[in-house]
């Protein structure tokens, strides 16, 4: 087991919750509560991703909704946080779990198929294989991903992109209801009629809003399926991936495909012809007949693959097409969206697709993932052309560091074609929430407001958390000494702007320039460029976290709010970012000059 320890409790926690309290909670649960020192402690705190070292206060192995309610109430009473977890496939992007009870749903694996209504009700701990098989037996397919043992709930709350994604869309947009326990310990059923805001938020907003106890998904009648993979020697990677890319530009939405490079590890559970070998591979699923499928892949067959498994298949076969590891592994990976995939991007991808990375894949997006609909959740649509994910094994911290660097090299090589947005489920490192959504300002701010309503104290710990919106009023701003002397009109403008940008009242009024523009530099949380008429841009910098905000007021009226999306000073913005801001807010440069600051290129 890599880098795990006994997870001793921190002293501040001992003040908040005594061992006696935790033992009392244990006695109240139908399921189990595992505490540090218990013999099963290390097993219980292990995530599917074995490279992640989880050290919560306690692990609740919940077996009922009542268990979840009791654990949430206990956390509320003792100032603890709750991290819901199904499998731990997504554990690498979780924050530290100190002061947190890890709520494992793995004992809640019930699945009910309602063939008449074409719906499945799936308990929170179910894996995709728990659903795919009974659904297929009743003549249905579900929108699962590449791996049979990924959790249905975690996958779906983050979007959920599977083999039918171009024909049927993201799994999150096929959710018909969610059962959830809120931070107040209230059990609610969310659907389009009941708590529609929260229902919208969880479908793409991740685990920030409550503990999901069950999810209801639409089932689709099983279509004819033609699927498989073609393998070529690694030396042909550039040529094959370029041909695959050209092919993707011609195929209908019924085809979902992946171009990848795979360095099979020399492990005994890898089948003999592949063990220790490297290949360039095209995997695809076509929703249609064998004859039509054969015609569609003919162009790829002309490339004379060394192995070709394409055939008419049963829906259960799709779970194994991607050859994901069948058991927990220690992994380090990350992904990005690509606007386009020109030959140069393929060149950069191939050049960096080397060990210690094991699998590097590019999936084609578009089709149903790109078409919006009124009923969609917060994930909305994915508008990039492709998505890339690279991963390697990380059995110890030294190798993990090398894999991180290798992933960084792949990402840097593809940076010229990267989208501003990134995919929730393929972001295995923490990402600023606003990068995960379409119409970022609107979606992200709406998610923040919903979080503020339902979990203002941030009880829930999730990967890619949504920070609650901050309510700002003039009284609150006026109470900050630096703003105390502002005229009422300016206070109001400031409150309005800060509310829109959702930042804390700041610390410093910098200057009022000769033209009446006031520039405030404010220690801030997160925001974007917001003009008087609404959002001006989705991003002004390349980073993930936010640093400072400049609020421009002209004659007491806000003209714009500018935020650097990196921890750097606005005044040290890179040239392209500076130009971008300037394009949106012409007064920006003048305001800086009025501060006695010169623009300098880097
Ligand atoms: C091998 C592998 C293959 C993958 N293939 C795909 C793929 O094809 N398509 C795709 O889109 N993604 C894929 N993913 C990414 C995967 O969807 C995410 O890692 C997802 O978060 C996993 O969900 P989980 O429940 O298994 O993991 P967990 O780590 O248990 O959960 C991830 C997060 O989901 C939230 N969550 C889980 N359960 C609950 C709950 N009951 N209540 C509230 N919040 C909850 C929590 O915030 C949690 O931190 C893959 C990942 C791996 C490792």
């Amino acid at each position: 087991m890599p880098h795990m320890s006994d997870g001793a409790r921190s002293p501040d926690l001992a003040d908040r919750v005594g061992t006696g309290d935790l033992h009392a909670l244990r006695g109240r649960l139908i399921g189990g509560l595992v505490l540090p020192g218990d013999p099963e402690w290390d097993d219980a705190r292990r995530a599917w991703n074995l490279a992640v070292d989880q050290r919560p206060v306690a692990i609740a192995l919940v077996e009922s909704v009542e268990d979840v309610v009791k654990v949430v109430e206990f956390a509320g009473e003792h100032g603890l946080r709750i991290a819901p977890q199904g499998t731990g496939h997504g554990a690498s992007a979780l924050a530290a779990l100190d002061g947190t009870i890890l709520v494992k749903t793995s004992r809640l694996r019930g699945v009910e198929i309602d063939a008449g209504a074409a719906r499945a009700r799936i308990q929170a701990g179910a894996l995709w294989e728990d659903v795919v098989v009974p659904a297929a037996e009743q003549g249905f397919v579900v929108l699962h991903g590449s791996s049979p043992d990924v959790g249905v709930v975690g996958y779906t709350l983050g979007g959920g992109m599977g083999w039918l994604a171009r024909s049927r869309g993201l799994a999150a947009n096929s959710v018909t209801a969610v059962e959830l326990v809120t931070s107040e310990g209230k059990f609610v059923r969310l659907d389009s009629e009941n708590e529609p805001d929260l229902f919208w938020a969880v479908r793409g907003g991740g685990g920030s809003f409550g503990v999901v106890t069950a999810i209801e998904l639409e089932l689709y009648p099983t279509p004819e399926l033609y699927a498989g993979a073609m393998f070529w020697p690694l030396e042909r990677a550039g040529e094959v991936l370029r041909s695959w890319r050209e092919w993707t530009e011609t195929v209908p939405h019924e085809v979902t495909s992946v171009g990848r490079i795979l360095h099979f590890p020399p492990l005994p559970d890898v089948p003999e012809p592949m063990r220790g070998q490297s290949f360039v591979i095209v995997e695809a699923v076509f929703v249609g007949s064998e004859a039509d499928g054969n015609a569609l892949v003919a162009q790829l067959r002309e490339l004379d693959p060394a192995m070709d498994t394409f055939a008419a298949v049963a829906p259960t076969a799709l779970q194994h097409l991607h050859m994901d590891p069948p058991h927990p592994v220690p992994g380090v990976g990350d992904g990005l969206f690509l606007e386009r995939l020109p030959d140069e991007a393929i060149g950069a991808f191939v050049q960096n697709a080397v060990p210690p990375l094991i699998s590097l894949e590019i999936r084609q997006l578009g089709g149903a993932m790109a078409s919006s609909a009124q009923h969609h959740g917060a994930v909305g649509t994915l508008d990039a052309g492709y998505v890339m994910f690279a991963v390697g094994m990380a059995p110890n911290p030294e190798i993990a560091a090398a894999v991180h660097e290798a992933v960084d090299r792949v990402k840097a090589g593809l940076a010229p074609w990267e989208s501003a947005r990134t995919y929730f489920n393929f972001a295995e490192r923490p990402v600023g929430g606003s990068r995960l959504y379409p119409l970022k300002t609107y979606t992200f701010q709406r998610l923040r407001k919903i979080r503020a309503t339902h979990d203002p104290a941030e009880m829930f710990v999730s990967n890619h958390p949504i920070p609650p919106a901050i309510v700002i009023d003039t009284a609150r701003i006026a109470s900050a000494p630096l703003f105390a002397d502002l005229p009422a009109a300016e206070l109001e403008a400031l409150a309005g702007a800060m509310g829109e940008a959702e930042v804390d009242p700041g610390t410093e009024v910098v200057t009022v320039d000769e033209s009446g523009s006031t520039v405030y530099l404010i220690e801030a949380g997160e925001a974007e460029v917001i003009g008087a008429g609404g959002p001006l841009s989705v991003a002004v910098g390349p980073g993930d976290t936010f640093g400072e905000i400049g609020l421009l007021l002209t004659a007491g009226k806000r003209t714009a709010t500018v935020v650097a999306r990196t921890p750097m000073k606005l005044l040290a913005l890179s040239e392209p970012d500076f130009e971008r801001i300037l394009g949106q807010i012409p007064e920006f440069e003048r305001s800086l000059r009025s501060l006695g600051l010169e623009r300098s290129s880097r």
Side-chain angles (χ1 to χ4, degrees):
M1 199 68 227
H3 48 112
M4 284 209 162
S5 81
D6 69 359
R9 288 169 52 210
S10 61
D12 70 314
L13 181 67
D15 295 342
R16 271 184 274 155
V17 54
T19 313
D21 294 329
L22 286 163
H23 280 277
L25 173 65
R26 177 187 271 171
R28 296 209 297 275
L29 301 181
I30 301 168
L33 188 80
V34 185
L35 298 172
D38 288 346
E40 61 273 50
W41 176 246
D42 276 340
D43 271 349
R45 71 195 185 89
R46 193 169 292 148
W48 186 92
N49 185 344
L50 301 175
V52 182
D53 179 13
Q54 306 197 105
R55 294 158 184 260
V57 175
I59 299 135
L61 301 168
V62 290
E63 287 188 25
S64 65
V65 171
E66 292 71 33
D67 275 357
V68 175
V69 170
K70 283 175 193 156
V71 176
V72 167
E73 282 174 352
F74 181 88
E77 283 156 18
H78 293 85
L80 299 175
R81 300 184 302 163
I82 295 279
Q85 187 165 79
T87 66
H89 274 81
S92 63
L94 269 183
L97 297 180
D98 47 312
T100 304
I101 302 179
L102 186 62
V103 173
K104 287 211 167 183
T105 57
S106 46
R107 293 183 179 180
L108 290 169
R109 284 178 69 172
V111 175
E112 296 157 37
I113 306 286
D114 181 344
R119 296 264 193 280
R121 180 180 172 276
I122 300 156
Q123 285 192 314
L127 312 180
W128 271 118
E129 63 193 359
D130 300 333
V131 186
V132 171
V133 175
E137 281 166 7
Q138 303 221 37
F140 294 104
V141 289
V142 284
L143 304 186
H144 65 89
S146 62
S147 219
D149 68 350
V150 161
V152 176
V153 168
Y155 166 95
T156 305
L157 299 189
M161 179 199 299
W163 281 121
L164 303 180
R166 280 174 38 86
S167 52
R168 290 285 182 197
L170 298 168
N173 293 329
S174 277
V175 174
T176 52
V178 172
E179 295 169 25
L180 169 140
V181 175
T182 66
S183 62
E184 291 173 336
K186 207 171 120 201
F187 174 71
V188 280
R189 181 187 154 91
L190 317 174
D191 57 31
S192 55
E193 309 276 289
N194 191 30
E195 299 275 10
D197 271 355
L198 202 47
F199 181 53
W200 172 86
V202 293
R203 291 175 297 146
S208 287
F209 303 92
V211 182
V212 173
T213 54
I215 195 163
E216 198 180 273
L217 298 178
E218 207 167 335
L219 300 171
Y220 298 98
T222 304
E224 283 187 275
L225 292 167
Y226 180 79
M230 293 184 198
F231 296 65
W232 294 263
L234 180 65
E235 301 72 62
R236 295 186 60 192
E239 170 208 355
V240 168
L241 291 176
R242 283 193 298 276
S243 301
W244 166 72
R245 191 273 328 282
E246 279 165 22
W247 182 71
T248 62
E249 287 163 355
T250 64
V251 294
H253 294 173
E254 285 74 24
V255 173
T256 301
S257 71
V258 180
R260 71 189 297 202
I261 288 172
L262 199 49
H263 303 287
F264 285 100
L267 297 174
D269 57 356
V270 176
E272 172 63 53
M274 290 142 179
R275 193 179 307 151
Q277 304 296 315
S278 296
F279 296 93
V280 54
I281 301 170
V282 172
E283 297 159 358
V285 171
F286 168 57
V287 179
S289 70
E290 183 171 9
D292 289 346
N294 263 319
L296 267 168
V297 302
Q299 194 180 325
L300 297 171
R301 284 208 170 107
E302 280 170 17
L303 296 171
D304 195 19
M307 244 185 297
D308 175 353
T309 69
F310 274 88
V313 296
T316 47
L318 302 190
Q319 301 182 93
H320 308 291
L321 179 56
H322 201 55
M323 301 167 283
D324 278 343
H327 46 66
V329 289
V332 163
D334 208 16
L336 51 78
F337 280 140
L338 293 162
E339 294 291 354
R340 298 173 297 114
L341 188 61
D343 289 354
E344 299 77 24
I346 291 176
F349 178 72
V350 171
Q351 189 190 347
N352 291 308
V354 291
L357 296 174
I358 284 195
S359 168
L360 297 100
E361 64 181 274
I362 300 177
R363 299 186 185 192
Q364 187 190 7
L365 301 177
M369 283 178 278
S371 66
S372 56
Q374 193 70 34
H375 73 273
H376 281 177
V379 66
T381 56
L382 304 183
D383 43 18
Y386 298 84
V387 63
M388 188 285 300
F389 184 76
V391 66
M393 293 298 157
N396 62 49
E398 292 71 37
I399 300 180
V403 179
H404 270 298
E405 280 173 23
V407 170
D408 283 344
R409 277 194 293 278
V410 179
K411 291 178 69 176
L414 291 172
W417 303 279
E418 184 180 1
S419 305
R421 187 178 169 190
T422 196
Y423 179 46
F424 194 117
N425 280 356
F426 284 2
E428 294 211 339
R429 300 167 178 172
V431 168
S434 64
R435 284 195 60 204
L436 300 168
Y437 301 100
L439 297 173
K440 271 184 335 116
T441 302
Y442 168 76
T443 308
F444 187 52
Q445 304 304 3
R446 184 174 169 197
L447 283 168
R448 292 191 65 178
K449 284 180 183 140
I450 295 170
R451 178 92 195 262
T453 306
H454 294 279
D455 184 21
E458 298 180 71
M459 171 187 278
F460 298 112
V461 178
S462 67
N463 48 1
H464 316 314
I466 304 292
I470 297 159
V471 179
I472 297 171
D473 57 26
T474 48
R476 197 165 153 210
I477 296 175
S479 70
L482 282 162
F483 295 117
D485 296 333
L486 281 184
E490 281 208 15
L491 275 177
E492 232 165 76
L494 195 52
M498 285 173 147
E500 209 170 320
E502 311 217 355
V503 295
D504 260 329
T507 54
E508 201 180 351
V509 178
V510 174
T511 188
V512 180
D513 77 9
E514 74 285 349
S515 69
S517 288
T518 309
V519 178
Y520 301 95
L521 288 189
I522 299 167
E523 264 308 304
E526 304 178 0
E528 297 170 24
V529 178
I530 297 173
L536 293 177
S537 146
V538 288
V540 294
D544 290 340
T545 52
F546 290 78
E548 299 205 351
I549 178 167
L551 180 64
L552 300 172
L553 296 180
T554 306
K557 284 199 77 185
R558 178 175 61 89
T559 52
T561 306
V562 183
V563 181
R565 298 192 70 232
T566 68
M568 64 195 170
K569 301 276 181 209
L570 266 183
L571 312 181
L573 281 176
S574 68
E575 192 67 15
D577 292 334
F578 193 95
E579 289 298 335
R580 205 141 25 128
I581 293 176
L582 213 55
Q584 288 151 351
I585 304 158
E587 316 92 302
F588 185 59
E589 188 158 21
R590 192 190 54 199
S591 298
L592 293 185
R593 252 187 277 113
S594 75
L595 297 174
L597 294 159
E598 284 302 316
R599 171 182 176 187
S600 64
S601 300
R602 286 192 295 154

